[in-house]
Amino acid sequence: MPLRIPRLTPMVATQGNIDSSEFGVVRVETDAGITGWGEIAMSWGRLGRALCRDVELSIAPTILGLDPRDVAGCAVAVEQRLDLATDGAHAARAGVEMALLDILGKALDTPVYRLLGGRARERVPVAWPIPWGDVEATVAQARTAVEAGFRTVKLKVGRPGSIDREAVSAVRRAVGAEVSIKVDANMAYRSAGAAYAALAPLEEHGLQLIEQPLRPQDLDELARLRSRLATPLLLDESCWHLRDVGEIVRRGAADVLNVYVTEMGGPLQAWKAFAAAEAAGLVALLGSQCELGLATAACAHVGVAVANLGYESDVVGPLRYPRDIVRNPPVIKDGYLHVPEGPGLGVEIDLGQVEALRCG
């Protein structure tokens, strides 16, 4: 079921201006009377309606009749059928995997995080992302975030001229030394030299992380840039598939990985990516496509279960919208995302909101 919902505040960055989001809601029904729910969430490229067609035309016929408790077996069947190289196809698969884990948790009367190994922490620390804007607006958003309990803010950078440096400097003065600042360039630069020239001056203001300054495929250039920067390098767009983790490690291109539940293909796939990073001695955090409450719950289950969550994650999507598709969205308070404790994903679908937000 494709949905569309406006954002309270547009996200403006290198890749454009997003003032609304398009999602998909996946419903998987079983002959045991248990229904599982999942969410398709992508902000760029192929969106809800196209990805819902992936589910209807490719994934659903593949898993129809299989045991939904065999999540790994269903994943293998989907891998063999769906061209996961297609832009965004992992997000379609993620919606289905969420629904299958929701079913399994409900069948066993246990939260999904216990299916992923149980708690490594009680809650997930989160950061507040701030879009491009003038210096005054950026500072105002940072102050509001800190007043709300966030201890880390994320600034979008990548603009020509001095505005990024002015914004980072002004935010540092406004929030003080105790609040962390990370910056995200969203692939804005075309060479390691250009990226270094733009980013090195920002390091004077004590950055926590620098995220994805170059294009995804430029891993050797990213490795060179990493060797010159004092701030740890976080890779996002370079880490959209499980196989990317090994290549990033082999090239020495990152200090930290940004792992998405949606882009990796689901909670179990994201858990595997964290484990692969841990095996290589890396930490990771959870990325966000500004999910609604359903997929945010899935992210929370992953976030409390993985051992090597090293920094604040970006999973604050429910705060970006005027309404939600679940009656009990996960609580985000004082800079933390709290995991739902009910069976499965632990949230209850609001079918009235789903119908009201349907598009296409």
Side-chain angles (χ1 to χ4, degrees), residues 3-360:
L3 313 178
R4 189 172 184 85
I5 183 169
R7 295 193 181 196
L8 292 170
T9 302
M11 177 55 69
V12 185
T14 303
Q15 293 160 301
N17 184 338
I18 303 175
D19 56 13
S20 62
S21 294
E22 193 171 305
F23 299 94
V25 173
V26 176
R27 180 177 61 206
V28 177
E29 298 175 344
T30 71
D31 57 8
I34 300 174
T35 299
W37 296 91
E39 180 184 320
I40 301 168
M42 282 294 293
S43 297
W44 312 98
R46 296 172 69 242
L47 302 176
R49 280 169 285 191
L51 297 172
C52 284
R53 286 193 290 271
D54 287 345
V55 173
E56 292 287 346
L57 300 178
S58 296
I59 299 179
T62 301
I63 65 171
L64 186 65
L66 299 182
D67 190 328
R69 297 168 298 183
D70 294 330
V71 181
C74 292
V76 170
V78 172
E79 289 275 4
Q80 293 172 344
R81 173 69 182 269
L82 185 63
D83 180 8
L84 293 177
T86 301
D87 180 29
H90 274 77
R93 169 183 157 165
V96 175
E97 185 170 282
M98 286 178 209
L100 297 180
L101 287 168
D102 192 35
I103 290 168
L104 179 56
K106 290 173 178 174
L108 298 176
D109 194 28
T110 195
V112 163
Y113 69 79
R114 296 207 182 277
L115 306 178
L116 300 175
R119 286 182 185 270
R121 62 189 52 79
E122 290 298 312
R123 53 192 181 171
V124 180
V126 290
W128 185 253
I130 299 174
W132 280 353
D134 61 36
V135 173
E136 291 75 15
T138 301
V139 168
Q141 288 202 48
R143 282 180 169 147
T144 299
V146 172
E147 289 168 2
F150 290 93
R151 304 309 299 166
T152 299
V153 295
K154 173 170 147 177
L155 306 184
K156 295 289 188 177
V157 298
R159 292 170 287 185
S162 63
I163 187 168
D164 288 341
R165 186 173 184 177
E166 292 168 6
V168 172
S169 175
V171 169
R172 174 55 73 206
R173 292 195 303 272
V175 302
E178 299 303 314
V179 174
S180 297
I181 300 173
K182 56 181 175 178
V183 298
D184 181 8
N186 287 117
M187 311 170 289
Y189 311 110
R190 289 297 170 260
S191 71
Y196 182 78
L199 295 169
L202 306 185
E203 292 190 289
E204 299 171 8
H205 305 293
L207 301 181
Q208 181 197 64
L209 296 169
I210 292 173
E211 183 173 349
Q212 197 70 44
L214 304 177
R215 293 170 296 188
Q217 66 272 25
D218 293 343
L219 295 181
D220 291 333
E221 284 284 282
L222 284 161
R224 283 190 282 273
L225 178 61
R226 178 188 171 217
S227 71
R228 299 182 67 187
L229 292 170
T231 305
L233 189 61
L234 168 66
L235 290 193
D236 173 350
E237 285 88 352
S238 294
C239 187
W240 278 24
H241 307 291
L242 186 55
R243 63 179 177 270
D244 293 337
V245 176
E247 193 64 17
I248 290 168
V249 170
R250 188 178 73 82
R251 306 273 194 98
D255 298 287
V256 187
L257 301 184
N258 199 356
V259 175
Y260 288 70
V261 169
T262 52
E263 291 157 13
M264 282 291 167
L268 184 57
Q269 303 306 310
W271 184 92
K272 289 179 182 178
F274 271 92
E278 183 182 13
L282 298 180
V283 296
L285 55 84
L286 283 165
S288 174
Q289 290 287 347
C290 282
E291 299 87 352
L292 293 168
L294 181 55
T296 299
C299 294
H301 285 281
V302 174
V304 298
V306 294
N308 57 324
L309 188 76
Y311 294 91
E312 293 83 1
S313 296
D314 298 337
V315 190
V316 294
L319 303 181
R320 297 290 191 185
Y321 305 101
R323 49 185 173 163
D324 211 316
I325 58 170
V326 295
R327 293 191 173 92
N328 54 335
V331 173
I332 302 170
K333 184 178 180 181
D334 295 329
Y336 288 93
L337 167 65
H338 297 262
V339 65
E341 290 292 347
L345 293 176
V347 290
E348 182 185 357
I349 293 294
D350 186 333
L351 288 175
Q353 290 288 4
V354 171
E355 288 301 322
L357 295 169
R358 286 187 74 156
C359 64

